[in-house]
């Protein structure tokens, strides 16, 4: 053997008996570098050779499927009774072999160089953890840290092997193990349960309580839903009568046809318990908890009843809901009763129990489908038995460990393949050898008898364990909810208790703050899988951030997922900003042709359409791998003079204004003569121009708002938030329209100065008094405002005709008018009407929080209208918040928060060709089926507080230099008018969007931080001016209860950037503590 050092001075010579052998050693790292197959076709094949002799035929090994990780089992019991099998290579059998489950070191058992077993501890909740393996680990500490003076890869004089890295094998999920019943023969019995719950003395009997979690999974064949499926039953031992088994149940909890019943064979079969009124609904394929609480015996009823047989009042509860009336049952368990789980059978006698064939469910009896079979199909777990009537917390398994007579959790120690079938009676009794427990309350699987199949173990997400949410989509939702949220995570259990929980972030985050909800809000969740559920976000009513959990009956675990509640506004494009594209198509004569524009665009012109034999046909190709068919058109068509007909007008008539059009290619359809009658092969080639100009012709109609404002005395107030865009020219923000000749009964107009100016003015107009300008305070001079920010604009008119204009809560003009909204007219947003009744003066910008009152609001009310989007409820006829889901393509109906039966409608169309006769678009209206023209966009709104979730230095570090620097903010509802202060000093803010902004941070006034760390923490204060979230500077006072501001600390210290700028210290010599020279 060569000298490893290379000098050859210490070369070794092996004896004749020695040999080399491959092995794994502790000082080398185990590896996970080859996928492990689990579904492989046999590699051995044979064929008939010469002389008819069968010979082997060698074929490459073929694997259809591989393990997704390096774990043989990706699910283990949450009870921690099964090791995780880790598959890899290079595992060394040594005292240092170890594992990690999550971050916890655990033991590893060597099986082979390619397999070890890692011990998985019992988990309090179902969870997913990462299993890692290591060959050499410090067995004292369980860590793989290098000791002082040690060199990785060497042998240590102290005998401790060198540290190697933990290798991740994959994630293993800890799930609850449950019993699975086949609905045909499998069941379980507890022979000792009756002796604990029963009592032969009727007078001293105190009652009992038993219950279980169960998930019914009935078959899909006709009549399967009517199978009587006992979940739990008390019955005496089987008796043989002429060779036939016979069981007469004392009391049962049964599932049939989507309901839970109480049944008994004690007297006359089912004892008239089969009424739906004596049952509780329980949907299939969901977990439910059912329990029966029976009290002590009562005297026989005076009407005869069952004669001298005692009767017992009992309460049936399913999923926490109890029947309003007690059930009278005729029997109870006695000392020799057996507790049957999941079915009834007589294994010692053979055969099945005799029944009277009565259907429990009335619907099944009416359909003539009684079912004598009494076996449950589905899953059962958490069986509990108590003495006396006991109220059980069915969501908490640990709540009954010390008080139950029997408690069966069905946790196996070696998985579904085990041969010793058993289950434990409580969480502390378990035979280590895997044999049956010897306690008197132990239950056992039935393994004897003709045709009896024991129940099997399975793994399920269950409601009595916590759910854990780790992801959500989408992360941004409108503040009024209505959006379906897809939650991902672990241990989502199918049950009626599954829900989403919305919590406010607790206290200010570091370094930002968060809106805090007044109380948790819940919404029912729809089960998709163990790892996915959906729920509809409820209306939470504020802009901010909330944490979302998915909760089972037990509750939830983990930090949850943060979603942002963002204010949404109506986006109006004002007839500007089109996107133009071209599309081409061709088709042979006597076949159909389809011309399709890109999504969101429609045909506006047809520059080329030729029927005959034009050149430049489209080419169809099929991908040889995916079989996907693609069609490519060259885009440069030309007519053939020998056979040509220009049909542009005909094609445009069929396609104009449509996203897609289809028609047959014939001379008759195209309205032309055959261009070459003797030529059989002809085709049509089309190039169309598409654009989205139809979507820019966008506005909103609310006819019921107009009729409401016109009712009564004729007084009204129209108010809204307006954000003017970049378009020039006179624009109608909102208008009350009516019949000719007075088309415009009241208009709020925006008139930008145009050109290089960023300013403009709001006006009021009606056909009676014409224009009214907002006054600047100087006679004849309009009050100017700038684009690029929100303004609250309102007009209020009294019954006597006195009108007032308001800007940001202050009165800026007054007037008198006789014009009023038309009862047959409409409130329109984003346009007014020309003399012909056609939309004109389209507004470009954003609108939000549009409100109509049937009275003239007072000046004090208008001053408060800029706050928190909470208009006065008195006389409120319409309130449009534009927070409906849909975003770019929203639903046509706009929710009216003042009157749900009077929605507004986004103008919509199926064709962008205007009908001048009806003054409508094709497909317009709530039921017209058209696509909405306007869209919704998220926007920072000054009427809600700002929420800062993160604040970092512009270079991404945690600290800001002492000299000067900038902060990058991430949050919610950062309005264009956002203000910020650092250390009490106002800072320049640049708002990028409603969720992002930057803040310029000035130099600190002193080098003396006052802290040993040299770090100065300065207060960051961020707010939208209107909302006064921090208690100063705004016009709205304190926000509503439960709403917080946006504050935090900005940590600052001397950084390299300070030194590069030559800053050592900065003294202003202004006096005071900031200039402490000590």
């Amino acid at each position: 053997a060569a000298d490893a050092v290379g000098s050859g001075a210490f070369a070794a010579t092996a004896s004749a008996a020695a040999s080399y052998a491959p092995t794994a050693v502790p000082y080398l790292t185990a590896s996970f570098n080859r996928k492990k197959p689990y579904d492989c076709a046999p590699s051995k094949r044979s064929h008939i050779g010469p002389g008819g002799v069968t010979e082997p035929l060698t074929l490459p090994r073929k694997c259809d499927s591989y393990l997704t990780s390096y774990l043989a089992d990706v699910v283990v019991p949450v009870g921690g009774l099964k090791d995780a099998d880790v598959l890899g290579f290079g595992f060394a059998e040594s005292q240092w072999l170890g594992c990690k489950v999550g971050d916890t070191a655990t033991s590893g058992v060597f099986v082979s160089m390619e397999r070890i077993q890692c011990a998985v501890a019992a988990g309090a909740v179902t969870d997913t953890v990462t299993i890692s393996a290591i060959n050499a680990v410090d067995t004292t500490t369980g860590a793989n840290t290098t000791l002082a003076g040690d060199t990785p890869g060497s042998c240590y004089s102290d005998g401790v092997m060198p540290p190697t890295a933990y290798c991740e094998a994959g994630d293993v999920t800890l799930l609850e193990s449950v019993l699975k019943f086949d609905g045909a023969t499998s069941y379980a019995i507890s022979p000792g349960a009756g002796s604990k719950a029963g009592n032969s003395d009727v007078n001293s009997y105190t009652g009992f309580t038993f219950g279980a979690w169960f998930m019914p999974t009935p078959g899909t064949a006709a009549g399967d839903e009517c199978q009587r499926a006992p979940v739990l039953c008390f019955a005496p031992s089987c008796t043989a009568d002429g060779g036939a088994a016979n069981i007469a149940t004392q009391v049962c909890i049964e599932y049939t046809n989507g309901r839970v019943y109480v049944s008994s064979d004690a007297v006359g079969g089912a004892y008239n318990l089969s009424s739906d009124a004596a049952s509780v609904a329980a949907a299939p394929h969901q977990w439910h908890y059912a329990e029966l609480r029976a009290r002590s015996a009562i005297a026989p009823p005076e009407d005869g009843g069952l004669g001298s047989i005692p009767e017992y009042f009992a309460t049936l509860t399913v999923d926490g809901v109890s029947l309003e009336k007690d059930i009278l049952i005729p029997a109870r368990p006695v000392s020799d009763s057996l507790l049957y789980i999941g079915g009834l059978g007589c294994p010692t006698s053979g055969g099945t129990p005799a029944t009277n064939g009565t259907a429990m469910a009335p619907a099944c009896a009416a359909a003539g489908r009684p079912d004598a079979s009494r076996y449950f199909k589905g899953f059962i777990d958490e069986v509990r038995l108590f003495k006396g009537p006991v109220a059980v917390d069915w969501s908490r398994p640990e709540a009954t460990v010390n008080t139950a007579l029997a408690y069966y959790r069905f946790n196996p120690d070696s998985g579904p393949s085990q041969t010793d079938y058993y289950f434990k009676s409580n969480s502390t009794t378990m035979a280590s050898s895997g044999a049956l427990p010897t306690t008197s309350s132990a239950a056992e699987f039935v393994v004897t008898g003709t045709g009896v199949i024991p129940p099997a173990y399975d793994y399920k997400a269950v409601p009595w364990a916590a759910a854990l949410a780790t992801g959500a989509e989408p992360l941004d939702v409108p503040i009024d909810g209505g959006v379906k949220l897809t939650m991902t995570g672990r241990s989502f259990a199918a049950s009626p208790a599954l829900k989403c929980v919305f919590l406010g972030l607790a206290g200010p985050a570091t370094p930002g703050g968060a809106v805090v909800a007044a109380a948790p809000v819940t919404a029912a969740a729809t089960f998709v899988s163990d790892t996915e559920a959906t729920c509809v976000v409820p209306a939470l009513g504020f802009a901010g951030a909330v944490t979302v959990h998915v909760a089972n009956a037990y509750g939830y675990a983990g930090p949850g997922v943060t979603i942002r509640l963002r204010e949404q506004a109506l986006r109006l494009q004002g007839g500007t900003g089109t996107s133009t594209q071209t599309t081409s198509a061709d088709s042979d004569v006597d076949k159909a042709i389809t011309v399709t524009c890109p999504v969101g665009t429609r045909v506006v012109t047809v520059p080329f359409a030729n029927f005959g034999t034009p050149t430049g046909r489209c080419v169809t190709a099929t991908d040889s791998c995916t079989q996907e068919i693609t069609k490519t058109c060259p885009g440069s068509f030309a007519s053939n003079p020998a056979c040509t007909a220009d049909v542009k007008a005909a094609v445009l008539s069929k396609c104009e204004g449509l996203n897609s059009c289809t028609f047959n290619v014939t001379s008759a359809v195209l309205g032309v003569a055959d261009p070459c009658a003797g030529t059989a092969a002809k085709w049509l080639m089309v190039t169309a121009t598409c654009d989205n100009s139809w979507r820019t012709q966008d506005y909103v109609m609310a006819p019921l708002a107009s009729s409401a404002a016109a009712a009564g005395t004729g007084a009204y107030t129209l108010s809204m938030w307006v954000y003017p865009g970049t378009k020039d020219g006179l624009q109608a923000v909102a208008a009350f329209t009516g019949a000719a000749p007075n088309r415009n009964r009241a208009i709020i107009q925006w008139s930008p100065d145009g050109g290089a100016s960023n300013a403009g003015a709001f006006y009021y107009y009606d056909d009676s008094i014409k224009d009214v300008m907002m006054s600047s305070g100087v006679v004849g001079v309009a009050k100017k405002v700038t684009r690029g920010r929100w303004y609250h604009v309102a007009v209020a008119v009294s019954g006597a005709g006195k009108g007032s204009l308001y800007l940001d809560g202050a009165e800026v003009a007054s007037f008198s008018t006789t014009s009023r909204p038309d009862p047959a007219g409409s409130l329109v947003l984003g346009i007014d009407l020309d003399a012909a009744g056609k939309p004109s003066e389209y507004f470009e910008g954003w609108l939000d929080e549009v409100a109509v009152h049937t009275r003239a609001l007072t000046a004090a009310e208008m001053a408060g209208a800029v706050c928190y989007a909470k208009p006065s409820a008195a006389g409120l006829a319409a309130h449009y918040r534009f927070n409906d889901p849909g975003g770019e393509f929203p639903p046509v109906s706009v929710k009216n928060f003042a009157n749900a039966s009077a929605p507004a409608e986004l103008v919509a169309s199926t064709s962008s060709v205007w009908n001048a006769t009806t003054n409508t678009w094709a497909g317009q209206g709530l039921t017209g089926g058209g696509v909405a023209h306007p869209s919704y966009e998220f926007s920072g709104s000054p009427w809600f507080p700002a929420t800062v979730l993160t604040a970092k230095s512009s270079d991404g570090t945690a600290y800001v230099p002492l000299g000067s620097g900038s902060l990058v903010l991430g949050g919610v509802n950062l309005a264009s008018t956002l203000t910020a202060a650092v250390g009490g000093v106002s800072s320049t803010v640049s708002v990028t969007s409603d969720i992002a902004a930057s803040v310029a941070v000035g130099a600190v006034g002193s080098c003396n931080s006052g802290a040993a760390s040299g770090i100065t923490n300065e207060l960051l204060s961020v707010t939208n001016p209107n909302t006064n979230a921090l208690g100063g500077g705004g016009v709205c006072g304190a926000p509503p209860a439960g709403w917080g501001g946006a504050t935090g600390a900005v940590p600052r210290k001397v950084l390299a950037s300070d030194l590069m700028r030559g800053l050592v210290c900065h003294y202003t010599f202004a006096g005071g503590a900031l200039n402490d020279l000590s």
Side-chain angles (χ1 to χ4, degrees):
D3 180 358
V5 177
S7 65
F10 301 100
T13 302
S15 67
S19 62
Y20 290 108
T23 187
V25 290
Y27 51 83
L28 294 179
T29 305
S31 66
F32 302 104
N33 56 12
R34 184 167 65 92
K35 292 189 295 184
K36 297 294 183 179
Y38 81 92
D39 185 11
C40 294
S43 60
K44 292 183 179 180
R45 295 288 190 271
S46 61
H47 71 113
I48 306 299
V53 178
T54 300
E55 297 178 345
L57 178 64
T58 303
L59 293 175
R61 186 168 179 82
K62 177 179 180 293
C63 276
D64 297 321
S65 300
Y66 294 85
L67 294 173
T68 57
S69 68
Y70 295 97
L71 298 169
D73 296 312
V74 294
V75 179
V76 297
V78 72
L81 303 173
K82 188 180 189 305
D83 294 337
D85 285 332
V86 179
L87 308 176
F89 182 76
F91 299 124
E93 187 175 13
S94 75
Q95 68 202 63
W96 300 288
L97 184 67
C99 300
K100 261 210 235 180
V101 179
D103 295 324
T104 303
T106 185
S107 61
V109 177
F110 178 82
V111 178
S112 70
M113 285 194 298
E114 295 185 346
R115 190 184 192 102
I116 63 172
Q117 290 182 330
C118 295
V120 180
V125 297
T126 59
D127 200 358
T128 295
V129 294
T130 300
I131 304 292
S132 306
I134 191 171
N135 266 343
V137 64
D138 185 338
T139 56
T140 303
T141 64
N144 62 328
T145 55
T146 302
L147 302 178
D150 291 337
T151 303
S154 65
C155 272
Y156 301 123
S157 58
D158 58 7
V160 178
M161 289 293 102
T164 58
Y166 276 97
C167 301
E168 292 188 1
D171 293 338
V172 63
T173 300
L174 282 70
L175 284 179
E176 186 78 11
S177 57
V178 299
L179 277 189
K180 182 178 182 180
F181 295 85
D182 63 8
T185 62
S186 60
Y187 62 98
I189 57 175
S190 174
S195 63
K196 289 186 171 287
N199 190 326
S200 58
D201 183 1
V202 173
N203 295 323
S204 62
Y205 185 65
T206 58
F208 72 93
T209 299
F210 71 167
W213 280 96
F214 67 98
M215 176 189 281
T217 58
T220 57
D224 284 353
E225 74 279 5
C226 291
Q227 177 171 339
R228 295 182 60 175
V231 178
L232 297 176
C233 284
F234 271 116
S237 301
C238 301
T239 60
D241 183 8
N246 193 0
I247 295 179
T249 62
Q250 293 153 334
V251 61
C252 294
I253 297 176
E254 285 195 26
Y255 177 83
T256 301
N257 198 35
R259 303 190 73 85
V260 178
Y261 297 83
V262 177
S263 68
S264 176
D265 294 329
V267 176
Y271 187 54
N272 297 322
L273 297 176
S274 60
S275 168
D276 278 352
S279 64
V280 180
H285 305 287
Q286 289 188 344
W287 282 105
H288 304 277
Y289 184 81
E291 71 175 17
L292 187 71
R293 299 193 300 272
R295 301 193 290 277
S296 56
I298 63 171
E302 295 180 0
D303 61 1
L306 300 175
S308 61
I309 297 177
E311 298 163 312
Y312 306 86
F313 277 127
T315 302
L316 175 64
T317 301
V318 179
D319 297 331
V321 178
S322 301
L323 287 178
E324 293 183 359
K325 297 182 179 180
D326 285 337
I327 297 174
L328 200 59
I329 58 175
R332 61 180 176 84
V334 294
S335 57
D336 62 347
S337 296
L338 279 65
L339 177 63
Y340 287 80
I341 303 172
L344 297 169
C346 294
T348 56
S349 303
T352 57
T355 70
N356 57 18
T358 301
M360 282 297 296
C364 295
R369 291 198 300 231
D371 196 333
S373 174
R374 295 212 209 174
Y375 291 99
F376 179 85
K377 181 175 174 59
F379 306 92
I380 297 177
D381 204 350
E382 293 291 316
V383 176
R384 312 172 197 188
L385 174 64
F386 301 86
K387 193 166 188 175
V390 177
V392 181
D393 183 356
W394 47 275
S395 67
R396 291 287 188 273
E398 66 273 12
T400 58
V401 170
N402 297 322
T403 59
L405 298 177
Y407 179 29
Y408 305 123
R409 301 208 64 190
F410 309 131
N411 286 326
D413 70 343
S414 58
S417 62
Q418 68 185 50
T419 56
D420 294 329
Y421 290 97
Y422 71 93
F423 48 94
K424 59 182 181 178
S425 58
N426 58 57
S427 60
T428 60
T429 304
M430 169 71 72
S432 59
S433 64
L436 290 174
T438 57
T439 59
S440 59
S441 61
E444 62 183 280
F445 285 105
V446 177
V447 295
T448 61
T450 304
V452 174
I453 301 175
Y457 282 117
D458 203 347
Y459 296 111
K460 301 289 287 185
V462 295
W464 59 92
L468 178 66
T470 58
E473 179 62 35
L475 292 175
D476 296 290
V477 299
I479 65 173
D480 290 328
V483 174
K484 185 172 79 170
L485 198 64
T486 298
M487 302 296 299
T488 53
R490 298 188 289 274
S491 193
F492 298 167
S495 83
L498 189 66
K499 60 187 175 183
C500 291
V501 181
F502 298 83
L503 300 174
L505 295 177
T510 302
V515 173
V516 179
V521 177
T522 62
T526 299
F527 174 83
V528 178
S529 70
D530 291 358
T531 59
E532 183 178 335
T534 63
C535 57
V536 176
V537 180
L540 298 175
F542 63 87
V546 294
T547 299
V548 188
H549 295 273
V550 175
N552 290 326
Y554 185 93
Y556 56 82
V561 183
T562 298
I563 66 171
R564 294 178 294 206
L565 304 174
R566 298 169 68 181
E567 176 67 299
Q568 197 169 249
L570 174 70
R571 172 60 167 136
L572 298 172
Q573 298 182 66
T576 63
T578 61
S579 172
T580 301
Q581 301 180 60
T582 60
T583 187
S584 300
D586 68 352
S587 182
D588 291 327
V589 68
D590 295 327
K591 293 185 178 180
I593 186 172
T594 298
V595 180
T596 302
C597 291
V599 175
T601 65
R602 293 175 178 173
V603 174
V604 290
T605 62
V606 178
F608 182 89
N610 190 271
F611 177 50
T613 56
T615 60
R617 294 207 64 177
C618 301
V619 177
T620 300
T622 302
D623 189 287
S624 58
C625 294
T626 64
Q627 300 302 305
E628 181 181 358
I629 300 175
T630 58
K631 193 170 186 178
T632 304
C633 298
S636 56
F637 301 150
S639 61
N640 180 2
C643 184
T644 180
D646 188 328
V647 291
K648 293 193 294 291
V651 173
L652 183 62
S653 69
K654 297 183 179 302
C655 299
E656 185 180 11
L658 301 177
N659 172 257
S660 181
C661 56
T662 300
F663 54 90
N664 289 329
V665 179
T666 67
S667 298
V669 170
L670 296 172
V672 295
D674 191 330
C676 43
T679 302
K682 289 182 287 288
W683 52 88
L684 170 65
M685 302 187 69
V686 175
T687 295
T689 303
C690 310
D691 71 22
N692 65 343
S693 59
W694 64 277
R695 293 210 69 189
T696 71
Q697 301 170 52
D698 45 7
Y699 52 94
V700 179
M701 302 181 66
L704 294 179
S706 180
S707 60
T713 64
Y716 72 91
T717 301
L718 172 62
S719 62
M720 68 203 68
W721 283 92
V722 185
Y723 189 112
T726 60
K727 176 184 174 181
D728 285 337
L730 186 64
Q731 301 162 52
V733 177
F736 281 112
T737 64
N742 297 322
R743 293 284 191 186
N744 298 297
R745 304 302 179 91
I747 308 176
I748 295 176
Q749 296 175 318
W750 163 247
S751 179
D753 291 347
S757 174
N758 196 39
F762 290 105
Y763 290 82
Y764 168 84
Y765 173 92
D766 66 43
D767 287 340
S768 174
I769 62 172
K770 309 304 180 187
D771 291 324
V772 176
M773 72 177 184
M774 291 186 174
S775 174
S776 64
V778 178
V779 176
V781 179
K783 184 176 182 62
K784 297 291 185 177
V785 297
T786 59
R787 311 179 205 244
R789 57 156 291 179
W790 285 99
Y791 299 95
H792 190 266
V793 181
V795 56
V797 178
S798 70
K802 183 182 181 302
S804 297
L805 288 180
Y806 294 88
L807 180 67
D808 287 340
E811 186 176 11
V812 289
S814 60
F815 59 90
S816 295
T817 182
T818 58
S819 182
R820 294 292 189 279
D822 186 346
S826 179
L827 169 66
V828 293
L829 307 176
I831 61 165
D832 57 18
L833 299 181
D834 64 13
K838 186 176 181 179
S840 66
E841 297 182 341
Y842 284 89
F843 171 74
E844 189 266 314
W846 291 261
L847 299 180
D848 208 354
E849 300 295 335
V850 177
V852 176
H853 286 80
T854 58
R855 62 187 182 89
L857 298 186
T858 65
E861 288 177 313
M862 292 308 307
V866 300
C867 303
Y868 308 117
K870 292 184 178 295
S872 171
L876 185 64
H879 184 200
Y880 307 112
R881 294 167 57 92
F882 306 113
N883 283 310
D884 303 304
E888 185 179 1
F889 291 97
V892 174
S893 179
V894 180
K895 184 176 180 179
N896 181 352
F897 280 77
N899 183 356
S901 63
E905 63 180 75
L906 304 180
V907 64
S909 66
T910 54
S911 169
S912 52
V913 177
W914 177 260
N915 187 324
T917 302
T918 61
N919 280 338
T920 60
W921 306 94
Q924 183 174 323
L926 293 174
T927 59
V931 177
H933 292 205
S935 59
Y936 297 143
E937 291 182 0
F938 290 125
S939 174
S941 54
W943 53 93
F944 284 132
T947 298
V948 175
L949 300 177
T950 60
K952 298 180 180 179
S953 178
S954 57
D955 60 3
T957 61
Y959 300 100
V960 176
L962 285 182
S964 62
S966 63
L967 284 174
V968 176
L969 306 182
V972 187
N973 200 52
L974 309 180
S976 58
T977 49
L978 188 74
T979 62
V982 178
V985 179
S986 296
S987 302
T988 302
V989 181
S990 176
V991 178
T992 306
S993 70
D994 65 309
I995 58 174
S998 61
V999 177
V1001 182
V1004 299
S1006 172
C1007 288
N1008 187 0
S1009 68
S1013 63
I1015 299 174
T1016 298
N1017 288 310
E1018 293 189 311
L1019 179 66
L1020 167 67
S1021 173
V1022 177
T1023 186
N1024 293 324
N1026 281 10
T1027 58
N1028 193 25
L1030 303 179
V1035 299
C1036 295
W1043 288 5
T1047 61
V1050 179
R1052 307 186 67 179
K1053 68 178 182 179
V1054 176
L1055 298 177
S1057 59
D1058 290 320
L1059 302 179
M1060 286 188 291
R1061 285 183 298 209
L1063 174 67
V1064 177
C1065 212
H1066 177 207
Y1067 299 107
T1068 62
F1069 297 104
L1074 289 180
N1075 293 276
D1076 181 2
L1077 305 184
S1078 61

